[in-house]
Amino acid sequence: MKNIRRVLAGSAVGVIAASTLALGAGTASADPVTPRLFSSAVGCQTAGNTWAQQGKITGFRCVQEGRAWALYTW
């Protein structure tokens, strides 16, 4: 019975460690956000709305940068 508890306790520690590493890898990323560029505000808004409705992004913002519109997502 003690051996089973040791195995289960060891397995639980391994699962917790693995899940912590997996979750931490995506959330602590320091990669800069590269916006997607569109030629019009309507194209930018349409793409943002479409991706949000599909669940690919949780939010977006369209910003005019020169003659193009940049779509920033999160």
Side-chain angles (χ1 to χ4, degrees), residues 13-65:
V13 170
V15 169
I16 292 170
S19 64
T20 302
L21 289 174
L23 292 174
T27 58
S29 177
D31 294 334
V33 176
T34 304
R36 293 183 183 247
L37 298 177
F38 294 86
S39 59
S40 69
V42 173
C44 183
Q45 289 288 330
T46 301
N49 286 331
T50 301
W51 294 336
Q53 290 173 3
Q54 292 173 350
K56 294 180 179 178
I57 59 174
T58 57
F60 70 95
R61 179 179 59 164
C62 290
V63 178
Q64 188 172 13
E65 294 182 357

